[in-house]
Amino acid sequence: MKKIKNYNITYLFLLILILLTPFMVLRDVTPANELRYLSIVDEALKDGHLFAFYNQGMIYADKPPLYFWLMMLCRLLFGQHCVFALSLLSLIPMFGILLVMDRWMRDELGSSWTATRSAAAALMLASCGLFMGLSVFLRMDMLMCFFIVLSLHVFYRMYTGKGNCRRQAWVLSLYVFLALLSKGPVGLLVPPLTILAFLAMERRLKTVGKYLGWRFWLVLLVLSGLWLTGVWLDGGKEYLDNLLFHQTMDRAVNAFHHKEPFWYYLVCIWYLMMPYALLLIPVFIASLVDRSDKGPAERLFLVTVTLTLVMLSCFSSKLGIYLTPIFPFMVYLLPLYLSRKPWKTWMSILLAVPAVVLFLVATLGSCLDYLTGFAPLAALLEQYPFLTSLPVALGYGALLIGMVVVLEKVFVGKHEAAVQAMALSLFLTVFFCSFKMKEINPWIGYRDICRQVDAADPEGKTLVRILYVNRPENMDVYLGRDIVNYGTDQDRFLESAGEEGGLLIVKQERIGDSGKLRDVLEGKRLALVGPYALYDLDGIPVEKKMIEE
């Protein structure tokens, strides 16, 4: 019993893995980034690149190599892209973050850090909006966040006199370098700037050399030098310039994409941290303005969150996903705050509000079968029939029952149990809905429509054309061949379709917008897959139709 109490978080990891496995096994990858990463890995393995990466022959210096190396290793081990294994590259770092934060709290709070509180905090972070999605999607952010958490935990142990300080100085610099190698400048900037700001606030800036001394900078310079030398040898001066200046200076000062105003993160944080944002953000503010004595861990967490928010807000390029490093510190600030302040009524209300909203959402979802008389809803259900399927209905049920339990626990004052119930109901909802991924996949990725192309042309000799499809250039991951992408240029497609024929993938809803396109494709449809249609263009008298019109 004692062993289970001490290591309950490990069993929690097993439960989360079981609940997320169907989703990781059955889902398709999204085209915006995940499919692009797969294509980059295929191209790197084919061309023998290890430090310089390319996407469709174009320089891709947006990201450092560590995550791509791990993806390449998975590709070599499995002989193909295994989405489950690739998802573990995000899920395992998430588990690592939970372990580090749990150990941190156990060292800080001692016997008051009970198994119930440990499970509640871990589940809250694991199910916290964006963080939950990043735990299974193919992104570098969770890996970078893991190394940032590790580096700040090592610094805190040094600061509080725990462990071998000299050895930990080497480890700190290694973690910072790995954070840099995972995602880029944010991984390099957050730990040292946080350390400097924290020491300044503690009026101990003179001790900075103990943490960021010659050992720290020596390891960073040597390892960064080796990496950048590899980049120069593999990609040349042009690639190195792109990596060091275009992807850093240009993004920070005048972004070429994802450009947002300064206050962007102050708005998006509220929905990115749902369903706990209404509780976590006010607690952060309350802790920030509270003048009573705080422990060093609470002060460090406040500095980490505040500095990261300000720094990211100053950068020109902004995406909600960039906020990943603050999630662990926002969530675990709550138990630190509650270790010196009692739970208040307003906290119960702010925990109950999202439960009520999710209860209403689940109730509406459970009643979809009875609302088909409502015309807009009937059209929605006709387009997405899986919304009324049994697995999705079980997901609604899990969410509905879970929110009832949450409200009951909040009412009787069992707040840790309420958080656990909310998190587990969210994971159960994902678990049940995952069994309909076969029907959902065509709406999130291109694997199924590409399988139809392979079925129509198993030898891969026919030209594949793409019209009105968002970011299709990396379909070569599925097709094993290049495609001709016309974007939204219908006229260019019509001019060339009759000359070369081939197969066409087009978004169905756009066909009806043009009588000319509709006439050309009439009677030539091979398959419908989600929002896309596949047409056989060979033998279509395009020129004749154009003349007749």
Side-chain angles (χ1 to χ4, degrees), residues 21 34 87 137 218 275 301-302 388-389 437 505 509-510 529 537:
T21 290
E34 293 181 303
S87 297
F137 283 93
L218 177 65
F301 286 17
L302 287 170
T388 55
S389 63
M437 287 308 300
I505 298 175
E509 64 182 26
R510 301 303 299 268
V529 180
L537 302 176

Side-chain angles (χ1 to χ4, degrees), residues 92-113:
I92 291 175
M94 191 266 278
F95 288 161
I97 292 169
L98 296 181
L99 276 174
V100 174
M101 298 305 295
D102 187 70
R103 178 185 176 184
W104 203 333
M105 293 299 101
R106 193 163 61 246
D107 292 342
E108 189 70 16
L109 301 179
S111 60
S112 65
W113 187 245

Side-chain angles (χ1 to χ4, degrees), residues 345-403:
T345 302
W346 62 266
M347 296 180 183
S348 297
I349 295 173
L350 295 179
L351 183 59
V353 168
V356 172
V357 173
L358 289 173
F359 174 83
L360 295 175
V361 170
T363 302
L364 177 63
S366 302
C367 298
L368 286 178
D369 271 333
Y370 306 99
L371 300 175
T372 53
F374 183 53
L377 188 58
L380 180 69
L381 295 178
E382 183 179 355
Q383 189 174 17
Y384 308 109
F386 51 80
L387 290 176
T388 55
S389 63
L390 177 60
V392 176
L394 291 174
Y396 295 141
L399 192 61
L400 189 65
I401 295 171
M403 293 309 108

Side-chain angles (χ1 to χ4, degrees), residues 192-214:
L193 289 180
T194 299
I195 292 171
L196 284 170
F198 176 74
L199 292 176
M201 187 184 73
E202 298 285 287
R203 297 180 181 178
R204 299 183 64 177
L205 197 56
K206 292 182 179 179
T207 65
V208 67
K210 179 180 177 181
Y211 316 102
L212 304 179
W214 67 267

Side-chain angles (χ1 to χ4, degrees), residues 223-259:
L223 294 179
S224 297
L226 291 173
W227 167 39
L228 295 177
T229 300
V231 170
W232 178 68
L233 293 173
D234 199 12
K237 184 177 181 297
E238 181 184 4
Y239 192 100
L240 190 61
D241 287 343
N242 192 301
L243 174 68
L244 292 177
F245 299 104
H246 185 59
Q247 298 298 334
T248 53
M249 300 296 184
D250 291 348
R251 277 177 178 255
V253 178
N254 187 21
F256 41 91
H257 56 228
H258 307 318
K259 191 172 184 178

